[in-house]
Each structure stands twice: as structure tokens, then as C-alpha cells.
Amino acid sequence: MDIRLLNDTELLAHTKQLVSEERQLVTKLLHHLREVERRRLYSELGCASLFDYAVRVLKYSESQASRRISAMRLIKEIPEIEAKLRSGALSLSNLSQVSSFFREAKSLEPKRVIQKHEKLAVIAKLENKSTREAQRELLTLQPKAALPKERERIVSEEFSEVRFLMSEKLKAKLEEVRALLGPRGASLNYAELFEELSEIGLVTLKAKRFGKKRSCAAKPLTQVRAAPQTSQQVAKSHTVVAASQVNMKKNPRYIPTEMKHQIWQRDGGQCKECGTKRNLNFDHLKPVALGGCSTVENLRLLCFSCNQRAGIRSFGIEKMEKYSLEQRPCT
């Protein structure tokens, strides 16, 4: 159809119809995103999160992905608002704004639970309002001025700019660290100070997780010859190995510390599926429930989402959802 041949009335009617169809498609898309998240399907594509999938695979901009995911999760929590999105009374932008509003309100009053009827009352105030009008409305409802959010921006291949608010308590701790570093600490800027803290933290956390000896970088065998062990050291080593074997027999899911360290080193401290370094778990390739055991060959590092997706592949989504509900604390 050549739209140039339409008269004014027909063109306006067609445009309005397309907008209505667009809203229907948007709500369908949100349901699809919800199901992709429920199945953790983004893990199959090497994505660390639904947001990562929406940006990398679906080619949305970060703001477009954020708006759709925020709206999807709000509709999941409050299904009544879906009809308002479909009718145009609420927009994706306003739903994203109100989601942020609820998160900020929660951060200001962590112990307070915002009830569903309270959320519906706030959302109702945004109906048929533009983005700017919705912003003004939410500002009047905010119990106190919202603090600027943490932001990260890539400025080059080597550097990223990170902005966040620093409390006086955190600032005092950083100054104490600076003082403990002595003359060297006095000249460090904040980026250098955080790098120094990261080095200290890595050494401490690796030692806590894997033991001090394992956390130290091993030297090549050509450079160092192991000192002969005393009889006491040999006896202690045999005792530790025996204890690990006993624990593994009692609990097939038990993973000895030395084995965790070996797997961590082998997998580079990142998820084997998507490459993220956040929220990592030790996952059995062949699940323990299906006869798998805790060996180096049968273990790998997976993030929480990829671990959940692996569970869905092995046991089905219904069982995994039931398991998640059973593990969820009562409220």
C-alpha cells in the first residue's frame, strides 16, 4: 500500500491502528522476556543476564533494555497494570521511572514493605502523563530528595569512569588506610588507593577461601626445589587428605578446599558459560542427584544464572522452580 495515496482521514486512522498494534506487540514482547528469564535461556547464548541478552543479542540500547526489563518485572509483580500499558494509559518510560522510584523508596526505608495497594496508588497518578509530568509527580511523592545513582561510563579501551556517592564513614576508612600505607599512601589519588585496596583484598580473600599457601603464586619448578618435608608435616598432610575423603563419603556434594582452588585456577575465576566473575558457584557437570561426584573433571565454575540453566536442562523447569520456592525463606 502506498501511503501517499491515502487521504488525511485514512492516514490518521492507519497511524492510530499501527500505534495500537505496537502496544500489543510490546506487551507480547514483555511476556517473552519474562519467559526467557524464567528459563534462563540467555545463559545458552553466553549472556550473563537478561539485560546483557537484550543489549548484545536483541540489539537494544542500554536505556531501551532497561525500560523493557523494568516494565516486565513490574507487570510480573502487579499484573493489573498490563491492561493500562496495552491501552496507552501507561508508557514504558513511566513504568521504568516508577520501578526506580520504588527501589529508591526501599533503599531509604529498608525495613518498610511497600504494599501492593500503595504501589497501585502511585502508578495511578502517572496514568496518561508524559515522561516529564511523571517525573514531577514522583518528585512530589519522594519522602526525601533522591540521591544521585552510581554511574559507569567507558571513556577508552583502558579506562572507565565510575561515579558514586561516598559517605563520611567510608571516606574516614579510606583516610585511615591511606595513613596505614605510610608515606606511599599520602600521594595516592582515589583510583590508586582503590587499586591498592583491591590488591590487599585479593590476597586476603584468596587466602581465606583457598588457604594462604595456595593463594600465593606458584613458582615454576625449574626455579625452586621443594624442601623435604618433616615427618610431622607428612603426617599432617595425610591427616588432611583423610579428613577430606571422609567428608566426601559423608556428603557427595562436599568439595575440598584444595580442589576448589584447582578448579578456580583452571577456569580463570570466571563462569565457564558466559565469562562473568560475579556470583560464582561450583557446579557438577553430572549432577550429584544423577550419580555425579565431586571430582576436578566433574566440576566447573558457573554463575548463578548459568547454574540455574544447567539445572533446568537436567531436571526440567518445573522441578527447578519448585526447588527455588522450597529454598525461599518465608515472609
Side-chain angles (χ1 to χ4, degrees), residues 22-38:
E22 182 185 31
R23 292 194 186 110
Q24 304 301 316
L25 284 174
V26 167
T27 54
K28 286 181 180 180
L29 169 67
L30 298 186
H31 282 288
H32 277 68
L33 288 177
R34 178 180 174 183
E35 186 63 15
V36 168
E37 183 174 55
R38 188 176 79 96

Side-chain angles (χ1 to χ4, degrees), residues 97 130-141:
Q97 283 193 83
S130 69
T131 302
R132 290 186 180 275
E133 289 172 336
Q135 278 180 330
R136 286 194 288 268
E137 186 68 44
L138 292 174
L139 283 173
T140 63
L141 298 173

Side-chain angles (χ1 to χ4, degrees), residues 209-331:
R209 186 155 192 172
F210 305 121
K212 189 173 182 180
K213 291 183 179 179
R214 296 187 192 91
S215 65
C216 298
K219 295 181 179 180
L221 293 176
T222 55
Q223 295 182 15
V224 61
R225 178 177 296 175
Q229 290 186 314
T230 64
S231 58
Q232 291 88 350
Q233 288 174 322
V234 172
K236 183 179 180 182
S237 176
H238 286 312
T239 302
V240 170
V241 171
S244 294
Q245 291 174 342
V246 169
N247 287 330
M248 291 175 76
K249 285 181 180 179
K250 288 182 178 178
N251 179 10
R253 288 185 170 82
Y254 173 77
I255 307 171
T257 303
E258 60 271 20
M259 189 180 292
K260 286 183 178 180
H261 181 253
Q262 188 175 350
I263 294 160
W264 189 278
Q265 293 293 101
R266 183 199 65 196
D267 293 351
Q270 63 184 28
C271 176
K272 288 289 289 181
E273 294 294 333
C274 68
T276 185
K277 295 187 176 182
R278 296 189 178 188
N279 204 0
L280 298 176
N281 301 270
F282 291 93
D283 174 70
H284 292 79
L285 281 162
K286 182 178 181 180
V288 173
L290 299 178
C293 54
S294 296
T295 62
V296 172
E297 296 75 20
N298 194 46
L299 285 163
R300 59 181 172 174
L301 282 178
L302 289 185
C303 69
F304 176 78
S305 288
C306 291
N307 185 284
Q308 290 287 296
R309 180 59 192 168
I312 290 170
R313 284 198 299 265
S314 297
F315 303 108
I317 192 166
E318 289 77 14
K319 185 166 184 177
M320 289 301 296
E321 283 188 321
K322 181 181 178 182
Y323 176 78
S324 298
L325 288 171
E326 289 173 351
Q327 298 300 314
R328 193 176 299 165
C330 297
T331 55

